[in-house]
Amino acid sequence: MARKLEISDQEVQRLRREGLGAPEIAKALGKSRATVFRALQRLDEVREYVRHDDVFPWPVHQMHGGTLPTKYIRTLSRAAKTGGGDMDYLMAAFRWANGMIERGVDIGYDPDYPGTDVTPEGGYYEMPEPVGGGFIRRLRDAALEAGRRRER
């Protein structure tokens, strides 16, 4: 006899469209990562694994791994490395990066930095963009260029 479905495919897809990865979906649904990964495989939603530790100019503490700046940086990193990603989340990440660039700011990180309007959980802070472009501008430009190469 087949096992009872342990997880809602629709809920997994909704969370994936929001940009969550398997560990985050598992936590949100109270399920194991293996259960979520099987659902993602069944839905043909398994992404190729892309490392981001080479992109971040600082080690990010685990407590800040789910914050919007971290998610946007990972989304732009994926786009820079693969030329693609979830379009809705990618557009949100580009809007975020473009807004920072238009305001002339870059982002910095200190795990002990208190919560601000950048992220209530703390860690990230805005600072003036360095002459010649900062981290966010370089990452955004790399993601745009990878997208252009992919379109050719």
Side-chain angles (χ1 to χ4, degrees), residues 15 31 36 44 49 74-76 86 94-95 97 123 134 136 138-139 151:
L15 293 170
K31 300 290 183 180
V36 170
D44 199 26
Y49 185 73
R74 286 181 180 147
T75 299
L76 292 170
D86 178 88
F94 276 119
R95 282 191 300 274
I136 295 299
R138 288 190 311 274
L139 184 57
E151 289 176 1

Side-chain angles (χ1 to χ4, degrees), residues 35-52:
T35 297
V36 170
F37 191 73
R38 282 192 303 274
L40 291 170
Q41 285 178 315
R42 186 173 56 250
L43 297 166
D44 199 26
E45 290 278 337
V46 177
R47 299 178 186 164
E48 65 181 85
Y49 185 73
V50 177
R51 293 193 61 89
H52 303 290

Side-chain angles (χ1 to χ4, degrees), residues 91-143:
M91 294 309 296
F94 276 119
R95 282 191 300 274
W96 173 77
N98 288 336
M100 292 186 70
I101 293 165
E102 288 168 8
R103 292 192 324 274
V105 298
D106 199 12
I107 198 162
Y109 178 79
D110 177 342
D112 297 323
Y113 199 79
T116 65
D117 57 337
V118 176
T119 177
E121 300 88 353
Y124 290 98
Y125 56 90
E126 290 183 352
M127 59 187 188
E129 183 178 21
V131 174
F135 167 64
I136 295 299
R137 181 183 299 269
R138 288 190 311 274
L139 184 57
R140 188 238 15 214
D141 291 351

